[in-house]
């Protein structure tokens, strides 16, 4: 059976590409109220994002550089929104 996949949009920066891969894998999501990215803290989603990066790196990146970009983006995203009041 032929499965058609939607093409990813053209991304202009490595950071933008990494963010889109993390969103696609379900590793991060957006704060509904403020728009900040938040980490789901799901190791399986993190690994899915790394697999996508390895198999389909951004143009001009090696698979290792693509995985490093994913890890760098994950390190820069927290699991809480900085504008939301602490619970």
């Amino acid at each position: 059976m032929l499965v058609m996949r939607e093409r990813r949009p053209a991304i202009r920066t490595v950071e933008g590409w990494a963010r889109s891969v993390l969103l696609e894998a379900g590793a991060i999501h957006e704060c509904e109220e403020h728009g900040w990215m938040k980490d789901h803290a799901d190791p399986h989603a993190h690994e899915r994002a790394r697999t996508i990066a390895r198999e389909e790196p951004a143009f001009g990146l090696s698979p290792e550089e693509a995985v490093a970009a994913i890890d760098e983006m994950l390190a820069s995203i927290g699991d809480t929104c900085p504008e939301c009041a602490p619970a």
Side-chain angles (χ1 to χ4, degrees):
M1 180 167 109
L2 180 62
V3 177
M4 297 297 287
R5 239 175 61 170
E6 199 174 304
R7 233 181 144 168
R8 286 196 185 100
I11 305 294
R12 295 177 188 234
T13 65
V14 173
E15 293 81 11
W17 170 82
R19 187 179 310 109
S20 71
V21 169
L22 289 165
L23 283 166
E24 179 182 330
I28 62 175
H29 66 282
E30 189 175 324
C31 171
E32 300 80 20
E33 211 172 311
H34 303 106
W36 289 89
M37 289 293 136
K38 299 190 306 184
D39 188 346
H40 272 288
D42 178 357
H44 299 291
H46 293 181
E47 193 52 42
R48 276 192 304 274
R50 289 183 187 100
T51 300
I52 292 169
R54 245 183 252 104
E55 293 175 358
E56 301 175 41
F59 181 75
L61 293 181
S62 70
E64 295 79 20
E65 291 170 328
V67 171
I70 294 294
D71 290 338
E72 188 175 313
M73 182 61 68
L74 277 172
S76 72
I77 297 174
D79 59 353
T80 59
C81 172
E83 292 185 41
C84 289

